Amino acid sequence: AQSVTQLDSQVPVFEEAPVELRCNYSSSVSVYLFWYVQYPNQGLQLLLKYLSGSTLVKGINGFEAEFNKSQTSFHLRKPSVHISDTAEYFCAVNPRGNLFFGTGTRLTVIP
Amino acid sequence: DVKVTQSSRYLVKRTGEKVFLECVQDMDHENMFWYRQDPGLGLRLIYFSYDVKMKEKGDIPEGYSVSREKKERFSLILESASTNQTSMYLCASSLAGGGAGSQPQHFGDGTRLSIL
């Protein structure tokens, strides 16, 4: 069985500060890993994905994530956030079939 | 750019009504999905389809059915709407190919459905 845990439901951070959104997963098989972002009143957009190869993946809008197989984690980071990064962020895993989503982390950037 | 279009952004229906939610994608994707999104629960898969006229149950199919008569269109049907089906519904599509599950899903903007 697969599960995805996003450890923080809400993360407030000041503008231009760094941020890390945490994601841990469990799976009995190898998985593909994704981060999606949802801006208010919109659907989800793909931020980045890890399929194989380098464990550090870069995505859109200056975000990056690092896959850590031993810790089964895929944390999302940005060195300096902007007001426009305020949104909900979802981590998802795909064990060769369908996506399993975490419950989301609401990032609020404070001016 | 892939466009996934959901026919309504907001919908209000009454208990017991039969409700249709429509989704159309314009990129010839083989796979289509319906999710519901509830606060604190994330997204949960209702039904999915890997081909025309094909459908598979997801994690929470009870009270729902789907139809995929054409490749670009995937409809979600609430057979007899109930108040616990008030939610945000999201449609998504993806290519097949590559390793199964490797293709990202592209989402519509969602339909916020209220059942009174």
Side-chain angles (χ1 to χ4, degrees), chain A residues 83-104:
Chain A
I83 295 289
S84 60
D85 293 322
T86 293
E88 189 147 22
Y89 292 78
F90 291 93
C91 180
V93 303
N94 195 325
R96 309 295 191 268
N98 294 323
L99 276 174
F100 291 85
F101 286 88
T103 53

Side-chain angles (χ1 to χ4, degrees), chain A residues 32 34 36 38 41-44 46 49 51 88 90 94 96-103, chain B residues 9-10 33 35 37 40-43 45 48 50 90 99-102 104-105 107-109:
Chain A
Y32 299 126
F34 303 82
Y36 286 86
Q38 185 178 35
N41 297 316
Q42 294 185 25
L44 278 69
L46 180 69
K49 62 183 179 182
L51 303 183
E88 189 147 22
F90 291 93
N94 195 325
R96 309 295 191 268
N98 294 323
L99 276 174
F100 291 85
F101 286 88
T103 53
Chain B
R9 291 299 303 272
Y10 301 93
F33 309 83
Y35 296 89
Q37 181 181 10
L41 297 178
L43 278 75
L45 183 63
F48 59 99
Y50 288 158
L90 291 166
S102 64
Q105 293 183 16
F107 286 81
D109 285 339

